[in-house]
Amino acid sequence: MMSYYLAARGIFYDRVSLPIKIVGTVFFIAAGSFLYYRLYADLDHDRRQYAAMAKIGVTRKEIEAMVTWQIGLLFFVPIMLAMIHSLFAFIALQRYLNFSIAMEAGFILISFFVVQVLYFLFIRGRYLRNLRKALA
């Protein structure tokens, strides 16, 4: 009975894991692209806004801290809400399948978060570079 259970679990996991990974990757790339274009669509407005702030005495370091905070909210609030939602979805899936997927779920959530942090650092650096050009 146990070997049948393990074999059925393996077949199910093999059939379901690839489409889930593909769909997850597509949604992650789409979300990243949306964030990227959202930031750069407002770049001209932000340049004028931060240039005006620099004229009234706000330092470059303070402006960079504000930008980091704003971009951080834009990047991490949605991913945190998605992680909470996914956690409940994984718990429901685990109860439905009658076997533990905690390791897989943890790996997926941590992987997405790490990639999001790397993407945040990359975009933040490029965005700050563009703002520095305007403030120079």
PDB file of all heavy atoms in Angstrom, residues 36-50 74 127 131:
ATOM      1  N   TYR A  36       8.624  47.342 -13.465  1.00  0.00           N
ATOM      2  CA  TYR A  36       9.664  48.062 -14.186  1.00  0.00           C
ATOM      3  C   TYR A  36       9.069  49.202 -15.006  1.00  0.00           C
ATOM      4  O   TYR A  36       9.507  50.355 -14.916  1.00  0.00           O
ATOM      5  CB  TYR A  36      10.430  47.082 -15.082  1.00  0.00           C
ATOM      6  CG  TYR A  36      11.547  47.712 -15.874  1.00  0.00           C
ATOM      7  CD1 TYR A  36      12.777  47.944 -15.286  1.00  0.00           C
ATOM      8  CD2 TYR A  36      11.365  48.061 -17.205  1.00  0.00           C
ATOM      9  CE1 TYR A  36      13.812  48.506 -16.012  1.00  0.00           C
ATOM     10  CE2 TYR A  36      12.388  48.621 -17.939  1.00  0.00           C
ATOM     11  CZ  TYR A  36      13.611  48.843 -17.334  1.00  0.00           C
ATOM     12  OH  TYR A  36      14.623  49.412 -18.046  1.00  0.00           O
ATOM     13  N   TYR A  37       8.058  48.904 -15.794  1.00  0.00           N
ATOM     14  CA  TYR A  37       7.468  49.935 -16.650  1.00  0.00           C
ATOM     15  C   TYR A  37       6.661  50.945 -15.845  1.00  0.00           C
ATOM     16  O   TYR A  37       6.567  52.107 -16.230  1.00  0.00           O
ATOM     17  CB  TYR A  37       6.627  49.306 -17.760  1.00  0.00           C
ATOM     18  CG  TYR A  37       7.510  48.624 -18.769  1.00  0.00           C
ATOM     19  CD1 TYR A  37       7.505  47.254 -18.909  1.00  0.00           C
ATOM     20  CD2 TYR A  37       8.387  49.356 -19.560  1.00  0.00           C
ATOM     21  CE1 TYR A  37       8.340  46.632 -19.822  1.00  0.00           C
ATOM     22  CE2 TYR A  37       9.227  48.748 -20.473  1.00  0.00           C
ATOM     23  CZ  TYR A  37       9.191  47.388 -20.595  1.00  0.00           C
ATOM     24  OH  TYR A  37      10.024  46.766 -21.490  1.00  0.00           O
ATOM     25  N   ARG A  38       6.118  50.529 -14.738  1.00  0.00           N
ATOM     26  CA  ARG A  38       5.399  51.464 -13.855  1.00  0.00           C
ATOM     27  C   ARG A  38       6.370  52.502 -13.300  1.00  0.00           C
ATOM     28  O   ARG A  38       6.062  53.698 -13.275  1.00  0.00           O
ATOM     29  CB  ARG A  38       4.729  50.686 -12.723  1.00  0.00           C
ATOM     30  CG  ARG A  38       4.140  51.508 -11.626  1.00  0.00           C
ATOM     31  CD  ARG A  38       2.845  52.168 -12.077  1.00  0.00           C
ATOM     32  NE  ARG A  38       2.239  52.858 -10.984  1.00  0.00           N
ATOM     33  CZ  ARG A  38       2.287  54.170 -10.810  1.00  0.00           C
ATOM     34  NH1 ARG A  38       2.910  54.926 -11.674  1.00  0.00           N
ATOM     35  NH2 ARG A  38       1.717  54.733  -9.776  1.00  0.00           N
ATOM     36  N   LEU A  39       7.519  52.072 -12.889  1.00  0.00           N
ATOM     37  CA  LEU A  39       8.515  53.003 -12.361  1.00  0.00           C
ATOM     38  C   LEU A  39       9.013  53.963 -13.434  1.00  0.00           C
ATOM     39  O   LEU A  39       9.110  55.168 -13.213  1.00  0.00           O
ATOM     40  CB  LEU A  39       9.708  52.231 -11.783  1.00  0.00           C
ATOM     41  CG  LEU A  39       9.533  51.679 -10.393  1.00  0.00           C
ATOM     42  CD1 LEU A  39      10.704  50.789 -10.039  1.00  0.00           C
ATOM     43  CD2 LEU A  39       9.402  52.791  -9.385  1.00  0.00           C
ATOM     44  N   TYR A  40       9.329  53.427 -14.583  1.00  0.00           N
ATOM     45  CA  TYR A  40       9.910  54.273 -15.622  1.00  0.00           C
ATOM     46  C   TYR A  40       8.881  55.143 -16.336  1.00  0.00           C
ATOM     47  O   TYR A  40       9.242  56.146 -16.942  1.00  0.00           O
ATOM     48  CB  TYR A  40      10.718  53.426 -16.609  1.00  0.00           C
ATOM     49  CG  TYR A  40      12.046  53.092 -15.987  1.00  0.00           C
ATOM     50  CD1 TYR A  40      12.233  51.913 -15.287  1.00  0.00           C
ATOM     51  CD2 TYR A  40      13.095  53.998 -16.020  1.00  0.00           C
ATOM     52  CE1 TYR A  40      13.436  51.629 -14.674  1.00  0.00           C
ATOM     53  CE2 TYR A  40      14.305  53.722 -15.409  1.00  0.00           C
ATOM     54  CZ  TYR A  40      14.470  52.538 -14.744  1.00  0.00           C
ATOM     55  OH  TYR A  40      15.656  52.267 -14.127  1.00  0.00           O
ATOM     56  N   ALA A  41       7.619  54.816 -16.225  1.00  0.00           N
ATOM     57  CA  ALA A  41       6.578  55.694 -16.773  1.00  0.00           C
ATOM     58  C   ALA A  41       6.482  56.980 -15.956  1.00  0.00           C
ATOM     59  O   ALA A  41       6.166  58.040 -16.495  1.00  0.00           O
ATOM     60  CB  ALA A  41       5.235  54.980 -16.794  1.00  0.00           C
ATOM     61  N   ASP A  42       6.775  56.888 -14.678  1.00  0.00           N
ATOM     62  CA  ASP A  42       6.702  58.055 -13.788  1.00  0.00           C
ATOM     63  C   ASP A  42       8.051  58.726 -13.568  1.00  0.00           C
ATOM     64  O   ASP A  42       8.158  59.634 -12.748  1.00  0.00           O
ATOM     65  CB  ASP A  42       6.140  57.635 -12.425  1.00  0.00           C
ATOM     66  CG  ASP A  42       4.694  57.195 -12.511  1.00  0.00           C
ATOM     67  OD1 ASP A  42       4.011  57.598 -13.475  1.00  0.00           O
ATOM     68  OD2 ASP A  42       4.248  56.460 -11.611  1.00  0.00           O
ATOM     69  N   LEU A  43       9.072  58.300 -14.272  1.00  0.00           N
ATOM     70  CA  LEU A  43      10.422  58.802 -14.026  1.00  0.00           C
ATOM     71  C   LEU A  43      10.543  60.303 -14.270  1.00  0.00           C
ATOM     72  O   LEU A  43      11.152  61.010 -13.462  1.00  0.00           O
ATOM     73  CB  LEU A  43      11.447  58.038 -14.868  1.00  0.00           C
ATOM     74  CG  LEU A  43      12.906  58.402 -14.628  1.00  0.00           C
ATOM     75  CD1 LEU A  43      13.291  58.147 -13.179  1.00  0.00           C
ATOM     76  CD2 LEU A  43      13.796  57.598 -15.550  1.00  0.00           C
ATOM     77  N   ASP A  44       9.969  60.824 -15.343  1.00  0.00           N
ATOM     78  CA  ASP A  44      10.065  62.269 -15.613  1.00  0.00           C
ATOM     79  C   ASP A  44       9.407  63.080 -14.511  1.00  0.00           C
ATOM     80  O   ASP A  44       9.961  64.082 -14.054  1.00  0.00           O
ATOM     81  CB  ASP A  44       9.438  62.607 -16.963  1.00  0.00           C
ATOM     82  CG  ASP A  44      10.265  62.108 -18.129  1.00  0.00           C
ATOM     83  OD1 ASP A  44      11.505  61.998 -17.958  1.00  0.00           O
ATOM     84  OD2 ASP A  44       9.686  61.829 -19.184  1.00  0.00           O
ATOM     85  N   HIS A  45       8.245  62.634 -14.076  1.00  0.00           N
ATOM     86  CA  HIS A  45       7.564  63.327 -12.978  1.00  0.00           C
ATOM     87  C   HIS A  45       8.398  63.269 -11.710  1.00  0.00           C
ATOM     88  O   HIS A  45       8.540  64.266 -10.988  1.00  0.00           O
ATOM     89  CB  HIS A  45       6.187  62.704 -12.741  1.00  0.00           C
ATOM     90  CG  HIS A  45       5.457  63.292 -11.584  1.00  0.00           C
ATOM     91  ND1 HIS A  45       5.487  62.732 -10.336  1.00  0.00           N
ATOM     92  CD2 HIS A  45       4.706  64.416 -11.487  1.00  0.00           C
ATOM     93  CE1 HIS A  45       4.775  63.475  -9.505  1.00  0.00           C
ATOM     94  NE2 HIS A  45       4.283  64.503 -10.186  1.00  0.00           N
ATOM     95  N   ASP A  46       8.952  62.099 -11.415  1.00  0.00           N
ATOM     96  CA  ASP A  46       9.773  61.943 -10.212  1.00  0.00           C
ATOM     97  C   ASP A  46      11.042  62.782 -10.280  1.00  0.00           C
ATOM     98  O   ASP A  46      11.484  63.332  -9.266  1.00  0.00           O
ATOM     99  CB  ASP A  46      10.122  60.474  -9.995  1.00  0.00           C
ATOM    100  CG  ASP A  46       8.918  59.644  -9.581  1.00  0.00           C
ATOM    101  OD1 ASP A  46       7.878  60.239  -9.224  1.00  0.00           O
ATOM    102  OD2 ASP A  46       9.017  58.408  -9.629  1.00  0.00           O
ATOM    103  N   ARG A  47      11.642  62.884 -11.453  1.00  0.00           N
ATOM    104  CA  ARG A  47      12.838  63.721 -11.605  1.00  0.00           C
ATOM    105  C   ARG A  47      12.531  65.162 -11.221  1.00  0.00           C
ATOM    106  O   ARG A  47      13.287  65.795 -10.491  1.00  0.00           O
ATOM    107  CB  ARG A  47      13.342  63.680 -13.037  1.00  0.00           C
ATOM    108  CG  ARG A  47      14.108  62.455 -13.395  1.00  0.00           C
ATOM    109  CD  ARG A  47      14.571  62.543 -14.836  1.00  0.00           C
ATOM    110  NE  ARG A  47      15.281  61.346 -15.209  1.00  0.00           N
ATOM    111  CZ  ARG A  47      15.485  60.979 -16.450  1.00  0.00           C
ATOM    112  NH1 ARG A  47      15.030  61.714 -17.449  1.00  0.00           N
ATOM    113  NH2 ARG A  47      16.143  59.874 -16.716  1.00  0.00           N
ATOM    114  N   ARG A  48      11.435  65.680 -11.734  1.00  0.00           N
ATOM    115  CA  ARG A  48      11.048  67.062 -11.405  1.00  0.00           C
ATOM    116  C   ARG A  48      10.756  67.204  -9.911  1.00  0.00           C
ATOM    117  O   ARG A  48      11.163  68.179  -9.273  1.00  0.00           O
ATOM    118  CB  ARG A  48       9.836  67.489 -12.231  1.00  0.00           C
ATOM    119  CG  ARG A  48      10.147  67.692 -13.707  1.00  0.00           C
ATOM    120  CD  ARG A  48       8.997  68.328 -14.453  1.00  0.00           C
ATOM    121  NE  ARG A  48       7.778  67.525 -14.433  1.00  0.00           N
ATOM    122  CZ  ARG A  48       7.475  66.585 -15.320  1.00  0.00           C
ATOM    123  NH1 ARG A  48       8.308  66.347 -16.313  1.00  0.00           N
ATOM    124  NH2 ARG A  48       6.345  65.914 -15.238  1.00  0.00           N
ATOM    125  N   GLN A  49      10.068  66.232  -9.361  1.00  0.00           N
ATOM    126  CA  GLN A  49       9.717  66.273  -7.943  1.00  0.00           C
ATOM    127  C   GLN A  49      10.967  66.247  -7.060  1.00  0.00           C
ATOM    128  O   GLN A  49      11.103  67.057  -6.143  1.00  0.00           O
ATOM    129  CB  GLN A  49       8.813  65.090  -7.614  1.00  0.00           C
ATOM    130  CG  GLN A  49       8.338  65.059  -6.182  1.00  0.00           C
ATOM    131  CD  GLN A  49       7.463  63.843  -5.906  1.00  0.00           C
ATOM    132  OE1 GLN A  49       7.367  62.921  -6.708  1.00  0.00           O
ATOM    133  NE2 GLN A  49       6.834  63.846  -4.760  1.00  0.00           N
ATOM    134  N   TYR A  50      11.884  65.343  -7.344  1.00  0.00           N
ATOM    135  CA  TYR A  50      13.091  65.242  -6.519  1.00  0.00           C
ATOM    136  C   TYR A  50      14.047  66.408  -6.770  1.00  0.00           C
ATOM    137  O   TYR A  50      14.775  66.818  -5.865  1.00  0.00           O
ATOM    138  CB  TYR A  50      13.779  63.900  -6.735  1.00  0.00           C
ATOM    139  CG  TYR A  50      12.961  62.751  -6.171  1.00  0.00           C
ATOM    140  CD1 TYR A  50      12.560  61.693  -6.967  1.00  0.00           C
ATOM    141  CD2 TYR A  50      12.574  62.732  -4.831  1.00  0.00           C
ATOM    142  CE1 TYR A  50      11.806  60.654  -6.463  1.00  0.00           C
ATOM    143  CE2 TYR A  50      11.812  61.701  -4.318  1.00  0.00           C
ATOM    144  CZ  TYR A  50      11.431  60.669  -5.133  1.00  0.00           C
ATOM    145  OH  TYR A  50      10.679  59.655  -4.626  1.00  0.00           O
ATOM    146  N   LEU A  74       6.566  49.331  -3.373  1.00  0.00           N
ATOM    147  CA  LEU A  74       6.029  48.888  -4.654  1.00  0.00           C
ATOM    148  C   LEU A  74       6.406  47.436  -4.947  1.00  0.00           C
ATOM    149  O   LEU A  74       5.605  46.671  -5.486  1.00  0.00           O
ATOM    150  CB  LEU A  74       6.534  49.805  -5.773  1.00  0.00           C
ATOM    151  CG  LEU A  74       5.967  49.597  -7.155  1.00  0.00           C
ATOM    152  CD1 LEU A  74       4.485  49.956  -7.184  1.00  0.00           C
ATOM    153  CD2 LEU A  74       6.719  50.456  -8.156  1.00  0.00           C
ATOM    154  N   TYR A 127      17.308  52.979 -11.228  1.00  0.00           N
ATOM    155  CA  TYR A 127      16.412  54.106 -11.005  1.00  0.00           C
ATOM    156  C   TYR A 127      17.153  55.257 -10.320  1.00  0.00           C
ATOM    157  O   TYR A 127      17.020  56.416 -10.711  1.00  0.00           O
ATOM    158  CB  TYR A 127      15.223  53.649 -10.161  1.00  0.00           C
ATOM    159  CG  TYR A 127      14.070  54.599 -10.164  1.00  0.00           C
ATOM    160  CD1 TYR A 127      13.183  54.635 -11.225  1.00  0.00           C
ATOM    161  CD2 TYR A 127      13.843  55.455  -9.088  1.00  0.00           C
ATOM    162  CE1 TYR A 127      12.107  55.496 -11.231  1.00  0.00           C
ATOM    163  CE2 TYR A 127      12.771  56.319  -9.086  1.00  0.00           C
ATOM    164  CZ  TYR A 127      11.908  56.329 -10.163  1.00  0.00           C
ATOM    165  OH  TYR A 127      10.839  57.196 -10.161  1.00  0.00           O
ATOM    166  N   LEU A 131      17.949  59.101 -11.568  1.00  0.00           N
ATOM    167  CA  LEU A 131      17.609  60.275 -10.764  1.00  0.00           C
ATOM    168  C   LEU A 131      18.844  61.143 -10.502  1.00  0.00           C
ATOM    169  O   LEU A 131      18.754  62.366 -10.483  1.00  0.00           O
ATOM    170  CB  LEU A 131      16.972  59.871  -9.440  1.00  0.00           C
ATOM    171  CG  LEU A 131      15.486  59.527  -9.470  1.00  0.00           C
ATOM    172  CD1 LEU A 131      15.004  59.140  -8.092  1.00  0.00           C
ATOM    173  CD2 LEU A 131      14.672  60.694 -10.007  1.00  0.00           C
TER     174      LEU A 131
END
